[in-house]
């Protein structure tokens, strides 16, 4: 038996989280010493970017020597590294896309960046967690920072509403998750996923109580990924939160939540897959339908994107339902492509919305192509990817997911999912049409030119979307190798 | 002849009933101070349950930290905010109509499963567990559960930052 005391290998495997926490704390400490008097704090912004880049390097370096850390609390493997790099990358993109917004609202300060980094640290813990206690703590670190970020505009009533709803409903869902964890511990005597898997595979555990605890944990996870029927919080939260925060919430925490969802239900509960699959089947279908049909009726673009993010969670649920290595790889690919697209789309929204986020109607996008050609062009790339047009990341994402579903024999779910994506095309195309063909009305605001940082964020997100759409094989091969969860 | 329940079950039933009643009282009381005092009752009965299960360290911590320090802070905050009785919110009928049946259904399902699968009521047994002192708990916290223990400090740090961000005064 190994020593119970941590070794250097343990610390290397935990290095990304250590870097993020240290840089986050530094951001808080340096906050009073920085600033140029105009509300801008570029030093802190660059420190946050450097910290995220360093954390990404640490995550990739840690993957050089994969294995468990801290007595099996964490498991650094391809799957965990994939999601760690993904959430850190989402964070980097968010920092670039948030700067114009933060300066405009006079909110660029150390707390924003520190909370962002802490939240990402929690998501990295979730990505590599292999034990229910640390998984829960990682989830709470990520969630509590997200609640605060959602309410970051203290003077704004919508932001307050968003944070309060997110907090109350999120805590409620966490209660379900914890109750499930307690039952699992009572049934198997362990919180380690590998031990639980072995105990359940050996049989002898009461099947009804096991189903009860799996159901309780499903409620907790489904809430975090906004899968139906636990999706009601998402539209209000995404609409009320500051746009860059909505961008981050719909990409980073969602990807990390899917990571733990996949890991728990394919490893610990893997032996009872034929029993949870029907529940997932129904939830996936309901999520797609609710998201797409509600999005059709929205005139507020943030609310529309919120419903669209519910619908996309439904597509990923299809991949989870297939319960295969192909399905897991498809979910990983989809979440990566979706993260870039969504951060980019919300970045354009936050730019068009202008001061105080007053211009968030779809009509405010009228004539954007003439006013700001770059913004309209990248928005078109993002929306075509969300529709799933070939040559964008979204096409291959959907293709792999439905291929995995067909391989698993879920013909009906595939057909209904494809019909859903046809419905979804309408509300995305509507925005593109408004941008390119409608004349801007008199009430449309003058847009200030975007800063170079924001433009870099747009172009980087659009380039990643196209790159994944034209050369998907490199990422997919990595995902396929990493998707074998043990 | 009625079978005599053993003392363990009797003790558990009394304390558990008291804890549940106090818990109900926390949410049903209209006045914030009364709710806070009911919460003390929940914490206290839980502490005694821990003690009977052999987790003496946890019981002491529960009394000192929760029933002592945190509840005092709660009551102070309630008094400082000078919050009086709660005003009934609108649309409460909807909450009653949907919430109470679903709560009852949820509790019903759980108790059904427990009663069906674990009919042996004597599974409550106090005194079998002896590893609840400070030394065994501390040893586990600093070896097996070192990482969760340390990472929790990050959670507390975030909570402090959050309180500051959401509640600070604007200095301009």
């Amino acid at each position: 038996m190994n020593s119970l005391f941590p070794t250097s290998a343990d610390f290397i495997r935990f290095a990304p989280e250590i870097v993020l926490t240290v840089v986050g704390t530094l951001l808080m400490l340096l906050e009073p010493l920085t600033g140029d008097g105009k509300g801008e704090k570029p030093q802190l912004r660059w420190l946050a970017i450097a910290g995220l880049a360093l954390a990404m390097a640490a995550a990739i370096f840690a993957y050089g020597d994969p294995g468990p850390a801290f007595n099996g609390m964490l498991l650094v493997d391809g799957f965990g590294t994939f999601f760690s790099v993904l959430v850190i990358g989402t964070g980097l993109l968010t920092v670039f896309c948030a700067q114009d917004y933060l300066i405009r609202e006079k909110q660029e300060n150390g707390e924003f960046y520190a909370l962002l980094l802490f939240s990402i640290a929690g998501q990295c813990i979730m990505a590599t967690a292999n034990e229910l206690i640390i998984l829960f703590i990682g989830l709470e670190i990520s969630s509590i920072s997200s609640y605060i970020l959602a309410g970051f505009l203290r003077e704004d009533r919508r932001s307050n509403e968003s944070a309060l709803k997110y907090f109350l409903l999120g805590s409620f869902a966490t209660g379900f998750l914890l109750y499930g964890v307690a039952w699992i511990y009572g049934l198997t005597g362990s919180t380690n996923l590998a031990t639980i898997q072995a105990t359940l595979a050996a049989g002898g555990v009461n099947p009804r109580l096991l189903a009860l605890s799996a159901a309780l944990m499903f409620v907790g996870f489904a809430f975090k990924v906004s899968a139906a029927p636990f999706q009601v919080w998402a539209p209000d939260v995404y609409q009320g939160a500051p746009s860059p925060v909505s961008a981050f919430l719909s990409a980073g925490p969602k990807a990390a939540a899917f990571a733990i969802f996949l890991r728990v239900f394919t490893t610990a509960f893997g032996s009872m897959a034929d029993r949870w699959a029907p529940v997932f089947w129904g939830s996936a279908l309901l999520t797609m339908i609710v998201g797409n049909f509600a999005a059709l009726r929205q005139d507020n673009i943030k609310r529309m994107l919120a419903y669209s993010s519910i619908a996309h969670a439904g597509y990923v649920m299809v991949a989870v339902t297939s319960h295969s290595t192909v399905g897991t790889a498809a979910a990983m690919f989809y979440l990566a492509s979706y993260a870039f697209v969504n951060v980019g789309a919300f970045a354009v929204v936050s730019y068009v919305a202008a001061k105080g986020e007053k211009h968030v109607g779809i009509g405010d996008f009228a004539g954007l192509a003439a006013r700001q050609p770059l913004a309209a062009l990248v928005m078109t790339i993002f929306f075509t990817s969300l529709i799933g047009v070939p040559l964008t990341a979204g096409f291959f994402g959907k293709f792999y997911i439905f291929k995995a579903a067909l391989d698993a024999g879920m013909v009906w779910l595939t057909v209904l999912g494809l019909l859903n994506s046809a419905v979804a095309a309408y509300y995305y195309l509507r925005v593109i049409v408004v941008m390119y063909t409608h004349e801007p009305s008199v009430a449309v605001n003058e847009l200030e030119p975007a800063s170079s940082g924001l433009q870099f964020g747009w172009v980087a997100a659009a380039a990643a979307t196209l790159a994944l759409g034209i050369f998907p094989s490199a990422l997919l091969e990595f995902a396929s190798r990493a998707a074998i969860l043990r | 002849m009625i079978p005599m329940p053993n003392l363990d079950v009797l003790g558990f039933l009394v304390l558990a009933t008291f804890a549940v009643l106090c818990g109900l009282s926390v949410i049903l009381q209209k006045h914030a101070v009364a709710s806070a005092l009911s919460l003390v009752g929940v914490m206290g009965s839980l502490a005694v349950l821990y003690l009977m299960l052999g987790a003496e360290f946890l019981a002491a911590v529960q009394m000192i930290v929760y029933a002592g320090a945190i509840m005092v802070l709660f009551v102070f905050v309630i008094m400082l905010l000078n919050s009086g009785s709660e005003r009934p919110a609108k649309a409460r009928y909807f909450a009653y109509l949907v919430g109470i049946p679903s709560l009852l259904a949820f509790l019903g399902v759980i108790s059904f499963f427990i009663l069906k699968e674990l009919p042996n009521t004597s599974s409550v047994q106090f005194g079998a567990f002896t590893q609840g002192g400070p030394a065994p708990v501390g040893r586990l916290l600093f070896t097996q559960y070192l990482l969760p223990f340390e990472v929790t400090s990050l959670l507390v740090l975030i909570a402090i930052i959050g309180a500051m961000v959401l509640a600070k005064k604007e200095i301009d």
Side-chain angles (χ1 to χ4, degrees), chain B residues 1-67:
Chain B
M1 196 183 91
I2 303 165
M4 187 64 194
N6 62 27
L7 216 55
D8 290 348
V9 177
L10 210 62
F12 170 79
L13 282 178
V14 169
L15 284 165
T17 317
F18 186 65
V20 171
L21 288 181
C22 287
L24 279 176
S25 164
V26 172
I27 51 173
L28 291 179
Q29 292 286 349
K30 297 265 184 259
H31 204 281
V33 174
S35 284
L37 290 178
S38 309
L39 197 53
V40 176
V42 177
M43 309 256 186
S45 44
L46 281 184
V48 182
L49 273 179
Y50 291 151
L51 193 62
M52 293 170 78
L53 282 168
E56 63 244 33
F57 179 68
L58 206 57
V61 168
Q62 171 89 5
M63 281 316 282
I64 296 168
V65 176
Y66 283 96

Side-chain angles (χ1 to χ4, degrees), chain A residues 71 111 148 154 206 208, chain B residues 117 143 162 165-166 168 170:
Chain A
N71 308 312
E111 289 91 356
I148 303 164
R154 285 180 302 129
N206 188 317
R208 287 209 190 86
Chain B
E117 303 300 332
T143 54
V165 166
L166 296 178
K168 72 181 171 192
E170 198 68 64

Side-chain angles (χ1 to χ4, degrees), chain A residues 334-379:
Chain A
Y334 199 87
L335 286 166
S337 63
Y338 178 70
F340 296 126
V341 167
N342 229 36
V343 174
F346 268 111
V348 176
V349 169
S350 89
Y351 169 67
V352 174
K355 191 162 175 55
E357 299 211 346
K358 291 199 173 59
H359 300 274
V360 286
I362 286 175
D364 291 310
F365 281 74
L368 191 67
R371 291 187 289 155
Q372 291 290 336
L374 179 66
L377 177 67
V378 290
M379 194 66 157

Side-chain angles (χ1 to χ4, degrees), chain A residues 4 6 14 21 28 70-71 73-74 111 115 118 125 131 133-134 137 140-141 144-145 148 151-152 154-155 176 179 183 191 206 208-209 212 216, chain B residues 106 109-110 112-114 116-118 142-149 151-152 154-155 157-159 161-171:
Chain A
L4 285 171
F14 194 57
T21 312
M28 299 289 301
F70 292 99
N71 308 312
M73 289 286 155
L74 300 180
E111 289 91 356
L115 285 169
F118 289 148
I125 293 176
E131 206 259 6
I133 293 177
I134 192 79
I137 296 177
E140 279 303 277
I141 290 175
I144 292 185
S145 339
I148 303 164
F152 206 74
R154 285 180 302 129
E155 312 291 328
F176 277 92
Y179 198 26
W183 270 106
T191 49
N206 188 317
R208 287 209 190 86
L209 292 179
L212 177 71
L216 288 169
Chain B
F106 178 71
V109 167
I110 290 201
F112 171 75
F113 276 136
I114 295 171
K116 193 168 166 64
E117 303 300 332
L118 305 170
F142 282 99
T143 54
Q144 175 70 33
Y145 295 100
L146 178 70
L147 187 68
F149 178 62
V151 166
T152 310
L154 178 58
L155 194 56
L157 176 67
I158 293 170
I161 297 175
M164 195 190 70
V165 166
L166 296 178
K168 72 181 171 192
K169 280 212 173 82
E170 198 68 64
I171 308 166

Side-chain angles (χ1 to χ4, degrees), chain B residues 109-127:
Chain B
V109 167
I110 290 201
S111 2
F112 171 75
F113 276 136
I114 295 171
L115 286 178
K116 193 168 166 64
E117 303 300 332
L118 305 170
N120 182 12
T121 43
S122 66
S123 49
V124 181
Q125 222 175 36
F126 292 126

Side-chain angles (χ1 to χ4, degrees), chain A residues 52 56 82-98 116 120 123 244-256 335-344 461:
Chain A
L52 285 166
M56 190 183 280
F82 180 91
F83 278 104
S84 292
V85 171
L86 174 60
V87 291
I88 296 170
T90 310
L92 267 177
L93 210 52
T94 309
V95 172
F96 279 112
C97 293
L116 189 70
I120 293 168
Q123 287 149 28
V245 175
S246 310
F248 179 68
L249 291 185
S250 66
K254 183 172 274 191
L335 286 166
S337 63
Y338 178 70
F340 296 126
V341 167
N342 229 36
V343 174

Side-chain angles (χ1 to χ4, degrees), chain A residues 370-456:
Chain A
R371 291 187 289 155
Q372 291 290 336
L374 179 66
L377 177 67
V378 290
M379 194 66 157
T380 310
I381 294 174
F382 299 142
F383 274 15
T384 46
S385 177
L386 288 172
I387 297 173
V389 173
L391 293 184
T392 59
F395 170 73
F396 281 106
K398 283 210 177 68
F399 175 74
Y400 293 133
I401 281 184
F402 289 124
K403 184 172 171 295
L406 278 181
D407 287 352
M410 301 186 299
V411 180
W412 274 109
L413 193 58
T414 311
V415 171
L416 293 169
L418 285 172
L419 286 177
N420 254 292
S421 24
V423 172
Y426 169 75
Y427 57 84
Y428 295 124
L429 283 174
R430 181 172 153 219
V431 179
I432 297 178
V433 167
V434 165
M435 284 195 301
Y436 278 90
T437 62
H438 288 204
E439 288 296 316
S441 61
V442 193
V444 159
N445 57 324
E446 281 299 312
L447 288 171
E448 292 172 12
S451 73
S452 52
L454 181 58
Q455 289 188 355
F456 173 77

Side-chain angles (χ1 to χ4, degrees), chain A residues 135-152:
Chain A
L135 183 151
F136 169 72
I137 296 177
L139 181 65
E140 279 303 277
I141 290 175
S142 159
S143 306
I144 292 185
S145 339
S146 310
Y147 305 149
I148 303 164
L149 283 173
F152 206 74

